[in-house]
Amino acid sequence: MRPAAGPVKLGVSLGLWQDRPAGEALLTARAADELGYGELWVGEMATYDAFALATAVGLATGRIGLTVGPLAVAVRDPMMIAMGVASVSDLVGRPVNVAVGTSSPLVVEDWHGRSRARAATALREAVRALRPLLDGDRSDFAGECLSSRGYRLRLPAPRSELSVAAFGACAVRTAATADRMVLNLVTPASAARLVAALRTASEGPPPRVAAWVTAAVDPDREAVDRMRRGVVGYLAAPGYGEMFAEAGFGDVVELARTRPHPRELLAAIPDGLLESVALLGDAGAVRERLDAYAEAGVDEVALVPAATDADPGGVATLRALAG
């Protein structure tokens, strides 16, 4: 089977759900490959190293394209990223693309103990430094935040497509110099604004736009509650809070910004808020929601299937959306 033809191209992103078994990611990956999805995004959170997981995925699947990231540019320097991508590509015998972003203060500052200062500058410089490295050229870049000089890949150059995770204006301008902009946790209305900003910032034809969107077809309460926990950390964040307020959930944002106990905040999040940034419902309702992202200018949607006891790896959701 192949993913059903439609206004957006469908791929898959590993959910890396923190309250599910880590190895379930391989179940999702194999299902995506067997169902004919064309691309699998391999991100990184608190369990597997992204390059290690991408190698395991590549060896466990037969044909699906791989994109590693978004990787935090304050944590991984351009040489490390280029070496990692080339390593995965060589070991699995398949092209591998890469995405970069600024990540969050929790990951960069708390977990890694790195500074996230001047994140927008670091992101812009990472894209400039990565291009020649991924193409097999010797590095010769010195920026304000990042530098690399004298390194060339000893493995075959992966010549990867480069994607940039964006939400703020500076990141969108950097994405305009890349091959693709990737969005995460956005309403169609917010996606439309970001697409418009990308087109304005692009000097030539604008890059493609992909969006990671959590998905559950015919969800049970476990799936909905898992998504509810996933949005908690975004409700009070600058930009995201305003996005949710625009969608009609200003009261929840106001509560989140008072820093209530997590249980109180979870209880206050209505299903409608989740539906504003996710794909929930029967297959028909989900496809209608995909149309809304297409109308916003999104070219590709990476489904992030909710994994539950009833649907390990989110396989049933992937099957329902593959034609």
Side-chain angles (χ1 to χ4, degrees):
M1 291 187 292
R2 308 300 298 176
V8 292
K9 178 181 177 182
L10 294 183
V12 176
S13 177
L14 298 178
L16 305 179
W17 303 103
Q18 298 304 292
D19 51 358
R20 296 293 301 176
E24 202 168 41
L26 289 173
L27 179 61
T28 303
R30 284 191 289 265
D33 185 51
E34 292 166 3
L35 290 166
Y37 288 92
E39 180 179 25
L40 184 75
W41 295 72
V42 181
E44 187 171 72
M45 272 297 292
T47 52
Y48 297 117
D49 170 88
F51 295 122
L53 179 55
T55 300
V57 165
L59 295 176
T61 57
R63 59 193 176 191
I64 195 166
L66 301 177
T67 295
V68 179
L71 301 170
V73 297
V75 174
R76 294 185 185 267
D77 62 63
M79 177 197 160
M80 291 175 64
I81 293 173
M83 180 185 288
V85 174
S87 298
V88 177
S89 181
D90 189 65
L91 289 169
V92 306
R94 197 178 311 173
V96 178
N97 295 319
V98 65
V100 294
T102 58
S103 194
S104 67
L106 171 67
V107 171
V108 174
E109 297 175 351
D110 294 347
W111 291 3
H112 288 277
R114 305 285 183 88
S115 172
R116 199 172 173 273
R118 308 187 70 188
T121 299
L123 181 61
R124 183 177 68 251
E125 291 179 354
V127 170
R128 290 181 58 193
L130 269 170
R131 284 289 194 188
L133 282 169
L134 294 170
D135 289 341
D137 297 332
R138 191 179 302 277
S139 63
D140 185 17
F141 179 83
E144 299 174 30
C145 297
L146 303 174
S147 65
S148 179
R149 182 171 290 112
Y151 177 73
R152 175 181 287 160
L153 289 171
R154 273 54 169 181
L155 295 169
R159 303 189 183 281
S160 309
E161 281 197 346
L162 185 55
S163 298
V164 171
F167 189 75
C170 291
V172 171
R173 288 195 292 271
T174 295
T177 69
D179 298 300
R180 182 167 51 170
M181 179 170 76
V182 57
L183 312 174
N184 180 43
L185 200 75
V186 291
T187 63
S190 182
R193 283 193 297 272
L194 291 164
V195 170
L198 178 71
R199 291 171 177 170
T200 298
S202 301
E203 296 183 358
R208 306 190 315 278
V209 178
W212 286 15
V213 189
T214 53
V217 174
D218 298 325
D220 59 11
R221 181 47 51 183
E222 182 186 357
V224 175
D225 287 345
R226 180 151 292 111
M227 292 184 179
R228 180 174 284 107
R229 289 191 290 273
V231 303
V232 165
Y234 292 87
L235 292 172
Y240 286 99
E242 286 71 19
M243 177 188 74
F244 284 118
E246 177 192 50
F249 305 100
D251 55 337
V252 183
V253 173
E254 288 181 12
L255 174 63
R257 288 179 171 169
T258 68
R259 299 185 178 278
H261 191 283
R263 284 196 298 270
E264 181 184 357
L265 184 55
L266 275 170
I269 299 172
D271 290 356
L273 185 147
L274 306 178
E275 292 165 359
S276 73
V277 291
L279 304 170
L280 288 170
D282 61 27
V286 168
R287 292 189 185 281
E288 288 181 9
R289 191 64 174 168
L290 286 168
D291 289 342
Y293 283 99
E295 291 170 6
V298 172
D299 303 296
E300 308 164 13
V301 167
L303 304 169
V304 187
T308 64
D309 289 343
D311 184 18
V315 173
T317 285
L318 295 183
R319 187 176 295 115
L321 297 175

